[in-house]
Amino acid sequence: MPCSLFIPDFKRCFVATGEPRLPALERLVARAARHKTSSAAEFLAPFFGLSPEQIAPAPFMHLGDSGKSDRAYRLCADFVHLAADRDQLVFMPGSLLEALPEELAGLATTFNSLFGAEGWSLELMPQGRTYLRCPGPLDVITTELDAMSGQPVFDHMPSGSDAARLKQLMNESQMLFHTHPVNRAREEVARPLINSLWLWGGGMLPAKAGASPMRVFSDLPLVRGLAAWAGKDTGIPNRNVIWEPGDFFALGLNDPRTLNRDWFGPLLQGLQHGNIEHLQLYLGGLGSFELGTAESHRFWRRGKPLVYP
């Protein structure tokens, strides 16, 4: 059984750090079979006995964060600052707002008191993420906030038969937040307002658990949720773990040079020494790759700067 390493935000991290040279990864990529670039869901689905369409981020991430499994329909709910820029709207993501937990709790409490009777409820997690529990399933197509960098908001508003319902909720939450005491206090000290919610990744947990890798190590809520749904405990990713056939490692954002030193280099050595016989590698934005011990010795395939498909 192959070992697998899953890094969904690799390209974003790689670009943000200036696209450094990564010798070990370049050799791995040069010697591996490169598969057609797939989405994260397409890569994950076979490991957990699902179709890609069944891997909706919100319900699995909520399970990974909360440990609670139910059949509610949920969306990821990102607090953002929405501002006009010439003839379009743009976002300042929550990561730049430096919002205090008590500020978000205040906004969520007011939201829930107004919309709770209709079945909408914001759920704040200790890890800093927020989910919207909905009164029922929604037929909507949404866009993850991270995929909208520098793009007009109107081009990525929800679509589908229930889109109008969701847009109305987003518009009403903007009006609610605009005059909220939290934002009046932020305005007094010249801090950007937390004046909108961006909703994405909606879905429900599948009714029946499927397959799972032999062991799962991850700090990603999506993968932790998939493992919990399949009845697996999740270990903390540790570069010193002795890899066993079928192991599945999933990593969040990290400095690519650190990844090269602590993960890609040891993986290449493990393949060449026969400690790892078969490796599947998913690098978000770059592609998915596969190689075994024999392929890892293709020394004539020299590493080159990474190229996006």
Side-chain angles (χ1 to χ4, degrees):
M1 297 179 65
C3 296
S4 304
L5 179 62
F6 173 76
I7 309 177
D9 286 325
F10 179 81
K11 179 181 175 181
R12 182 156 58 95
C13 184
F14 181 59
V15 172
T17 52
E19 303 186 22
R21 293 296 301 269
L22 306 174
L25 178 58
E26 291 171 6
R27 289 196 291 273
L28 280 170
V29 167
R31 299 171 189 181
R34 187 172 194 161
H35 298 302
K36 180 182 178 182
T37 302
S38 61
S39 68
E42 288 172 330
F43 184 82
L44 289 170
F47 293 98
F48 295 94
L50 295 168
S51 66
E53 295 75 22
Q54 290 178 295
I55 303 183
F60 284 108
M61 290 173 63
H62 177 269
L63 175 57
D65 278 339
S66 69
K68 299 177 181 179
S69 176
D70 59 36
R71 292 279 289 154
Y73 184 97
R74 286 183 173 85
L75 289 145
C76 296
D78 291 340
F79 287 95
V80 297
H81 173 77
L82 185 63
D85 181 24
R86 298 182 180 179
D87 59 347
Q88 65 183 25
L89 293 174
V90 295
F91 278 135
M92 178 185 292
S95 58
L96 301 179
L97 294 178
E98 298 181 348
L100 301 174
E102 53 267 29
E103 291 178 320
L104 300 184
L107 292 169
T109 297
T110 302
F111 178 98
N112 291 342
S113 66
L114 182 61
F115 299 109
E118 300 174 20
W120 306 98
S121 177
L122 286 175
E123 304 168 315
L124 273 63
M125 297 291 112
Q127 299 87 345
R129 286 174 284 273
T130 305
Y131 303 94
L132 177 66
R133 180 171 178 148
C134 305
L138 297 174
D139 176 23
V140 290
I141 299 171
T142 58
T143 303
E144 183 178 356
L145 185 61
D146 288 340
M148 293 175 48
S149 178
Q151 300 182 43
V153 171
F154 287 132
D155 292 349
H156 298 280
M157 292 296 287
S159 61
S161 61
D162 290 320
R165 188 179 177 193
L166 201 59
K167 289 183 207 177
Q168 180 180 353
L169 181 70
M170 294 167 72
N171 290 335
E172 291 179 356
S173 67
Q174 289 174 26
M175 292 185 282
L176 178 68
F177 293 165
H178 182 72
T179 58
H180 196 280
V182 163
N183 278 319
R184 288 204 297 268
R186 290 177 67 91
E187 193 171 26
E188 289 176 0
V189 293
R191 299 177 70 195
L193 305 186
I194 310 167
N195 61 6
S196 189
L197 287 171
W198 187 252
L199 305 174
W200 61 276
M204 300 169 60
L205 292 176
K208 184 180 179 181
S212 72
M214 298 297 291
R215 298 192 301 174
V216 181
F217 301 86
S218 180
D219 54 7
L220 297 172
L222 173 61
V223 175
R224 294 178 69 86
L226 283 163
W229 173 79
K232 285 281 187 178
D233 293 329
T234 310
I236 297 173
N238 186 328
R239 63 189 177 94
N240 295 318
V241 170
I242 297 175
W243 289 56
E244 298 179 3
D247 279 354
F248 189 96
F249 282 76
L251 307 178
L253 284 175
N254 207 334
D255 181 85
R257 287 158 294 213
T258 302
L259 291 171
N260 192 72
R261 181 193 68 212
D262 294 346
W263 292 89
F264 303 137
L267 281 172
L268 179 59
Q269 292 180 359
L271 284 163
Q272 292 176 332
H273 294 160
N275 299 323
I276 299 173
E277 295 183 358
H278 189 186
L279 176 68
Q280 293 179 327
L281 181 63
Y282 178 87
L283 303 173
L286 193 67
S288 57
F289 308 87
E290 188 170 0
L291 75 164
T293 295
E295 291 81 8
S296 71
H297 290 287
R298 294 171 170 169
F299 62 88
W300 59 91
R301 292 194 177 184
R302 298 180 180 274
K304 299 178 181 178
L306 300 175
V307 177
Y308 312 134

